[in-house]
Amino acid sequence: MAAAEDQKKKTRKDRLEYFWMFYKIPAILVVISIIAAVSFIHAWITNKPSVLDAMLLDIHSDVTEENMEQDFVEAAGINPDRNCVTISTSQLLGDGSRDYQMASLAKLYSQIGTGTLDVVSMRESDFVKYVDAGTFLDLRDLFTDKELSAFGHVYRDEDGKILGIYCEGMAKMKEIGGYSSGENGIIGILYNSEHVEMAGKFLQYLNKSE
C-alpha cells in the first residue's frame, strides 16, 4: 500500500523518469521492432518487380541512369507504378583504378551468376572473352532475319551464331555518347536472362533515334 501511495504522489516527470530507469531497454527494443516491422511492410508493399536489368560497361555518357531508365520505361510502355528497370552506366572495366575495375567485375560476375542481368554491353576486346563461355544468347532465337538486318553490323561467332550488336550503328547509343573513346562496343543478351523479350525491346530502343 505504501508503494502505491508513493506512486500516486509522484509527478508525471517522476513517473517518466522511473519508467525510463527500469524499462528503458525493453522500450527501445519494442520501438526498434515496430520500426523494423513497418519498414518491412512498406518495402513489401512498394516493391516493384524488375522487368529489365542492363549494364552498359565503359560507356561515356552525360545522360543520367535515371533519365535513361525513365525514357526506356516510356518507350516500352512499362507501367512505372508496377514495374521498374535498372540501367547501369557507371561500371568500368578498363578505365579508372584497379580497385574500381575489380569491383565492376565482381558486380558483373555476381549478376550473371544469379541470373539477374539481362543485357550487357562492353568493348569488343572484352566481349570476345566471354563468347567461348557461352555467356550470350543467340539473337536468332529472338529476332527475325528482317529485325536483325535493322541493327546493321552484328557479331557472329565461328558457328554463325549472332551473339551481339555493334554499338557504333545504334542510333540511341550514339546519342547518349556510347563508345566514343576509339574502340567499338558490342551489346548482347545474357544466356540466362529472365526477361528475354524485354531485353530485345531494349536493344531495339537503343537502335532507334528520336
Side-chain angles (χ1 to χ4, degrees):
M1 291 295 292
E5 289 296 324
D6 289 340
Q7 285 296 323
K8 288 181 180 180
K9 292 179 181 179
K10 288 183 177 179
T11 64
R12 183 186 298 269
K13 181 180 178 182
D14 292 334
R15 291 176 183 174
L16 287 174
E17 289 178 350
Y18 176 84
F19 174 84
W20 189 247
M21 181 180 298
F22 291 98
Y23 300 101
K24 175 172 61 177
I25 294 179
I28 291 174
L29 292 176
V30 169
V31 171
I32 291 175
S33 299
I34 292 173
I35 293 174
V38 170
S39 298
F40 175 79
I41 293 172
H42 179 267
W44 181 75
I45 292 175
T46 59
N47 180 48
K48 295 181 290 187
S50 174
V51 293
L52 179 79
D53 199 317
M55 187 182 294
L56 309 182
L57 294 163
D58 288 315
I59 71 166
H60 304 280
S61 176
D62 293 329
V63 181
T64 66
E65 295 175 346
E66 292 76 12
N67 287 343
M68 196 179 301
E69 289 164 357
Q70 183 178 355
D71 191 45
F72 175 66
V73 164
E74 294 175 357
I78 298 169
N79 185 342
D81 295 326
R82 301 185 60 179
N83 298 108
C84 66
V85 302
T86 301
I87 303 174
S88 174
T89 60
S90 59
Q91 304 301 314
L92 305 173
L93 293 186
D95 298 334
S97 69
R98 179 174 174 81
D99 289 342
Y100 196 85
Q101 179 184 9
M102 295 303 295
S104 296
L105 278 172
K107 182 177 180 180
L108 175 64
Y109 292 155
S110 174
Q111 288 194 258
I112 293 176
T114 56
T116 56
L117 187 61
D118 301 298
V119 177
V120 64
S121 73
M122 57 184 72
R123 295 175 306 175
E124 183 175 7
S125 58
D126 291 318
F127 189 91
V128 297
K129 297 175 183 178
Y130 295 88
V131 169
D132 291 338
T135 305
F136 300 103
L137 178 76
D138 186 347
L139 297 180
R140 297 176 303 175
D141 296 336
L142 177 61
F143 297 113
T144 64
D145 291 340
K146 182 179 180 179
E147 289 171 332
L148 284 170
S149 66
F151 287 111
H153 194 190
V154 299
Y155 176 88
R156 297 176 184 267
D157 70 358
E158 295 179 352
D159 298 323
K161 295 179 181 177
I162 300 177
L163 303 179
I165 310 293
Y166 279 90
C167 297
E168 65 181 2
M170 306 181 86
K172 181 69 69 174
M173 284 292 278
K174 289 191 290 187
E175 286 177 11
I176 65 174
Y179 294 88
S180 56
S181 59
E183 184 176 358
N184 197 4
I186 304 177
I187 189 167
I189 299 175
L190 278 300
Y191 77 98
N192 58 348
S193 166
E194 297 180 354
H195 311 104
V196 173
E197 290 188 6
M198 189 61 70
K201 288 184 178 181
F202 183 63
L203 263 59
Q204 291 175 322
Y205 157 80
L206 291 175
N207 198 44
K208 293 180 179 179
S209 60
E210 294 293 345

